[in-house]
Amino acid sequence: MCGIQVLITQTGDGADTEKYNEIWANLTATNSRRELGPDAHNEISVNVGPARIKLGAHVLHLRGPHTQAQPLVAPTTGDILCWNGEVFGGLDIGNRNDGIELLNELQRQKTHDPRTYIQRTMSKIEGPYAFVYVDREQKHVWYARDYLGRRSLLTKTMDSGAMLVSSVADTADESTAWTEVAAQKIYCVDLNARTLDGGILEYSWQYEAGGLEIGAEDEHLVLPFGRVDQTVDDIGPISDVASSVQLSDLAEFPDICKWQPYIDRLKSELTQAVKSRVDSIPPNGTHARCGVLFSGGVDCMVLAAILTTVLPRDEPIELFNVAFENPRQTKLQSLDSVYDVPDRKTGRLGWNELERIDPHREWRFIECDVPYSQVIEHKSHVQQLLVPSCTVMDMSIGIALWFASRGHGTRVTATSRTEYMGQSRVLLLGMGADEQLGGYSRHRSAWDKSGPHALAREIALDVERIATRNLGRDDRVVSDNAKEARFPFLAANVVAFLSQTPIAYKMDMRYARGVGEKLLLRLLARQLGLVQACVLAKRAIQFGARTAKMESSQTRGQDFL
């Protein structure tokens, strides 16, 4: 993981050097404000044609046998790479540093085809990333986020014409606004152009069409998955068994034989995704290497149940369960504890269920209790991390993720409660399951109002919009705690499988809430032995952890902060 910051200025732009230095210092402070890191920090400045480029990188060691400082410089061409990403497929990385291997691959591809080597190389990569690449010979600066937007990268053009690219925003300078780099494209700045923003070329990711192979079109980037299959022809009637009380735990689900191939395939694809995301994490002594942000819901339960099958038996798994003191809720309800929130209750049940299915694993259940005073103390810092996201809902979700990923809390066992600080540098999150498997209330509304075709269209639209949603925001919030968020449901192989699976074998809104949505995932959970979790209805983190409407019931999620 690497916090990136880049400043590009043109000779004679007439700007105040002192102003640039101030902005750079602010970005450095923000990018390196990691509670437990970074492991390495470095910066370099180079002249490329008429431009001056300053690059900084703040590295958290998560790949390879030792910490690799950035920016990376190619020894023969002098090209420069800042890489905030993980290569989980497309290149043979082994136990080496993926940034170094990617730079070597870019150099090889450049030798063969200097015009499209960036597009060809990035089309091969599977994994989350944000990068900046300086081609000194061609006088180009390339930058992008991955096609699903799983890593943060922001940009802004100053009044002077100078350009900034950074993992996080500097909110001290409000003269111009930061914007999130659109994930559907790769960008190239031609440094020979009269102005930097006027010299930006764009290359768009495309769905594969007509048997097109990756790289067959010179400048097109080909996605590793297709469009969502909107077929709805295979929907049949619900049998009498389906509507009986016995369906409450999916134990006697009808037509299970028809679903079984899809259940087995989902298990296989998710196992591959989880394994590739944890195998490369460096050893952490006797400490935990990987944790799960844990509400006890079906998404995180399935991830935890699969995680225990791929990690070595002697490694603990951390389950971070966050709960907030909500003054408004405390006034309205009589609770044994202000932290007795919905996600705490389901989290405890989920932890017990995981201990039942794998009693030999050391499951560390950590209750991260957040007093309202701490919310007030850290609110302005979290708000800065959210930028350019700026709504009440962004804050409600962001502050829950920030405190959960921080990992400060109480470790609970059957006989004790001890103060605890999380050890994992990698956290698995369930983002992407709801969009692909029909987990949102709008999916059920589409079904109720207009039937299966409307539901299929809504799912297709949601999957298309994943890249434009909030993963960049979530990455900024989690990484501020020196942790890296990884999203197995958004692995390319999982997205490819779910996109080609007919709607009728992913969800069925004729069943009740807590069953019909994400039905395929629920059936997998049941197969894994997660009897209680498989029928829990979805609950958004801001409601489950009680970060929503802390001060007033009148605020709306879309209101600006």
Side-chain angles (χ1 to χ4, degrees), residues 382 386 388-400 470 473-474 477 557 559 561:
V382 174
L386 298 176
S389 303
C390 58
T391 68
V392 169
M393 183 177 291
D394 289 319
M395 176 58 75
S396 296
I397 297 172
I399 205 156
N470 301 308
R473 174 201 68 193
D474 300 343
V477 170
D559 290 344
L561 295 170

Side-chain angles (χ1 to χ4, degrees), residues 155-222:
T155 185
K156 81 169 183 175
T157 300
M158 301 177 64
D159 291 337
S160 64
M163 184 175 179
L164 288 162
V165 183
S166 178
S167 298
V168 292
D170 159 37
T171 56
D173 173 35
E174 298 181 351
S175 58
T176 54
W178 288 92
T179 59
E180 196 107 45
V181 172
Q184 302 95 325
K185 298 178 180 181
I186 289 182
Y187 297 86
C188 176
V189 182
D190 184 352
L191 299 176
N192 289 313
R194 190 172 61 86
T195 62
L196 294 176
D197 59 348
I200 299 178
L201 305 174
E202 302 176 356
Y203 301 91
S204 298
W205 286 95
Q206 308 287 334
Y207 286 103
E208 185 174 353
L212 172 70
E213 295 182 357
I214 288 177
E217 291 190 0
D218 285 344
E219 295 173 350
H220 281 183
L221 300 151
V222 181

Side-chain angles (χ1 to χ4, degrees), residues 293-359:
L293 292 197
F294 191 75
S295 66
V298 66
D299 307 346
C300 62
M301 285 289 287
V302 167
L303 292 182
I306 291 177
L307 179 61
T308 195
T309 68
V310 301
L311 278 184
R313 299 304 308 169
D314 59 347
E315 287 193 24
I317 295 176
E318 296 179 321
L319 308 173
F320 297 101
N321 181 267
V322 69
F324 287 76
E325 177 191 6
N326 185 313
R328 195 179 64 84
Q329 290 289 337
T330 302
K331 292 178 182 178
L332 295 174
Q333 299 179 18
S334 176
L335 301 172
D336 293 337
S337 167
V338 295
Y339 304 115
D340 194 19
V341 302
D343 277 3
R344 177 58 48 79
K345 297 174 183 177
T346 54
R348 288 170 178 161
L349 290 173
W351 166 43
N352 292 334
E353 201 158 40
L354 290 171
E355 288 199 315
R356 179 179 56 77
I357 67 168
D358 191 354

Side-chain angles (χ1 to χ4, degrees), residues 23 41 91 94-95 118 204 224 226 231 233 252 269 284 321 391 414 418 429 478 486 520 525 529 549 554 557:
I23 293 172
H41 163 71
L91 290 179
N95 193 37
I118 294 285
S204 298
T231 302
D233 298 337
E252 297 186 29
E269 300 294 350
N284 197 18
N321 181 267
T391 68
T418 55
L429 282 71
V478 173
R486 297 184 179 176
L520 176 59
K549 301 182 184 294
Q554 303 303 311

Side-chain angles (χ1 to χ4, degrees), residues 470-511:
N470 301 308
L471 293 172
R473 174 201 68 193
D474 300 343
D475 177 55
R476 291 189 293 277
V477 170
V478 173
S479 64
D480 186 65
N481 288 310
K483 309 289 175 63
E484 182 169 274
R486 297 184 179 176
F487 311 103
F489 286 105
L490 293 174
N493 64 298
V494 175
V495 177
F497 162 63
L498 291 176
S499 293
Q500 70 188 25
T501 299
I503 292 292
Y505 288 103
K506 292 186 288 190
M507 66 208 74
D508 193 334
M509 300 305 179
R510 296 170 298 175
Y511 294 106

Side-chain angles (χ1 to χ4, degrees), residues 54 69 86 114 144 159 280 287 323 365 374 393 419 440 546 560:
K54 190 172 186 177
E86 303 290 342
D159 291 337
S280 60
H287 292 173
F365 185 70
Q374 286 195 22
M393 183 177 291
E419 187 176 346
Y440 290 122
R546 291 276 167 82
F560 291 109

Side-chain angles (χ1 to χ4, degrees), residues 90-109:
L91 290 179
D92 182 13
I93 302 299
N95 193 37
R96 300 179 295 276
N97 179 269
D98 58 341
I100 289 287
E101 294 304 312
L102 175 60
L103 179 60
N104 292 339
E105 179 65 18
L106 285 165
Q107 296 295 290
R108 285 191 290 269
Q109 293 289 339

